[in-house]
Every structure is written in C-alpha cells, then in structure tokens.
Amino acid sequence: MQPTAVIVGVGSEEGLGGALARRFAKGGFHVIVAGRTVEKIESVAKSLGEGNGTAVQVDVTQPEEVRRLFQTASAPGAGRAPASAVIFNAGNNQHIPFRELTSAQVEEFWRVGCFAGFLVAQEAVNLLLPQGKGSLIFTGASASLRGRPGYAHFSAAKAGLRMLSQSLAREFGPQGLHVAHVLIDGGINGNRLKSAMPDVVDKRGVNGLLDIDAIAETYWHLHQQHPSAWTQEIDLRPFKESF
C-alpha cells in the first residue's frame, strides 16, 4: 500500500507547502494537497506526477470542511493507505500597528493560525491514533516565541499553536504519535516573499533566506525519526540571521 501524507496550507509551487508536497512525493507518498485556491493546489498536485497527488480545496477554519478533508485522508483511494503524516502549514502574516488592530482582524489571525491548527490536529489524532503511529507536524515562526511591535495578533496566534503542539506531544507521544513543531526564524525564499519584496533576495545575499526545499527536508527527517529519539521542536534560520 502506498503511504499517504496530508499537507494543509499549500499555495503556489514555489512556496513551502509546494516544497513539502514534492518532498513527501519523492519519498514515495501519495500527497493530499490541501489549500484555499483551486488553481494553485491543482498545479502542485499535477507537478507531483500521475497518481501522486490529490488536490482538496479547504477552508481550514471551518470544521465541516476539515472533516471532509480527513474523510479523503482516511480513504485516499485503491492501493493507498490512510494518511500517516499530517502537516499543518496554514498561516497568514501582516504588520498591523496595535492601535489600528480591529477585533475582526485579531479573530481572523487566531482562526487561521491557531484554531485551524486545533481542527486539523483533532481530525489527525482521530485518524492516526488507531494506527498507533504517524506524524503530526506544525509550522511555527519566531513569533511563536516572542512578540514584536506591530505583530501582536500574529504572535498570539502562533504562540497558541505552539502550546497546542506541546500539549499534543505530551498526551499522544506515549501512544505512538510523533508531534513536532518547526520554528521558521527568517524570511522564506518563496513566491509570497519575492512577490511582496522583489528585491529581498539580492539584499539578503546567497543563502540569506530560507530555501523551501531545505526546510522541507527537515520535515521529512522529522517524519522519519526513530521513536527513541524524537524531536518535539526544532528551529530553522539562515546562517546570516540574528537570533
């Protein structure tokens, strides 16, 4: 049976979600590519090769849509095993001065960055626990650890996601589920950043931004770790990044 992975929060092919999908497909997985934009997730799924990817449009802040996603993950098709790896990579980020923040904006960031993580995690645990094994990996940020001016809304959501990952690791690790949290500390050399700040790559210089495929390799390593030496949290940053 071909193993299955679920990547939640996939955008363009040149983003972290796309890189994660490619890495798990390279490792022999059928990948369920989940995201908001049909054109983007279909493009990523197609890039994985015939039969290696399934695109599922999902709003991860909606419980019924997350349940529908995991119905697919539990029965991904003939010759494919239920998902044994789930990655929560959904998130948003925007600088907003605190005095300009609205309650609606704070709730929106919390829903995408934290509440959606809870919804995905609950479905993932229900799927993985009967198997007695599997990985649940969350994408975090430096904001998970510390707040910065203009990012109170983002930091609050990411810190909540980090605490969720720690709680789940302590509760379900002894039952065979590997729960990990990846702190991304630095700019990601992907389509989102390059579109917003086209000159950023030149400014940072060679290897001054996190390479998406290098990040994805770490997620793959986490999934492959032996249960006698699991990582719960790991931080990744360019060698030039201050911390």
Side-chain angles (χ1 to χ4, degrees), residues 27-43:
F29 278 71
H30 176 80
V31 181
I32 296 175
V33 180
R36 293 176 298 178
T37 308
V38 173
E39 294 79 7
K40 290 181 178 179
I41 58 175
E42 287 183 346
S43 177

Side-chain angles (χ1 to χ4, degrees), residues 2 5 20 38 54 75 78 94 117 137-138 140 146 200-201 211-212 233:
Q2 184 182 20
L20 290 166
V38 173
T54 298
Q94 182 184 354
I137 306 174
F138 297 92
R146 58 187 181 272
V200 68
V201 177
D211 180 82
I212 55 174
E233 184 167 84

Side-chain angles (χ1 to χ4, degrees), residues 92 94 96-97 100-110 153:
N92 50 6
Q94 182 184 354
I96 307 174
E100 298 176 14
L101 267 176
T102 66
S103 58
Q105 288 173 320
V106 173
E107 182 174 357
E108 178 188 0
F109 274 84
W110 170 77
H153 50 293

Side-chain angles (χ1 to χ4, degrees), residues 110-183:
W110 170 77
R111 283 189 167 277
V112 175
C114 185
F115 178 63
F118 156 74
L119 294 178
V120 169
Q122 193 166 65
E123 294 294 333
V125 168
N126 289 336
L127 175 59
L128 298 174
L129 204 56
Q131 302 178 48
K133 61 180 181 179
S135 299
L136 173 58
I137 306 174
F138 297 92
T139 297
S142 53
S144 307
L145 300 176
R146 58 187 181 272
R148 293 176 56 201
Y151 291 96
H153 50 293
F154 180 62
S155 297
K158 298 304 285 187
L161 186 70
R162 183 181 184 230
M163 291 300 100
L164 175 68
S165 77
Q166 289 188 11
S167 297
L168 297 180
R170 292 183 170 98
E171 184 171 356
F172 298 109
Q175 300 178 60
L177 304 191
H178 184 188
V179 182
H181 183 246
V182 182
L183 287 162

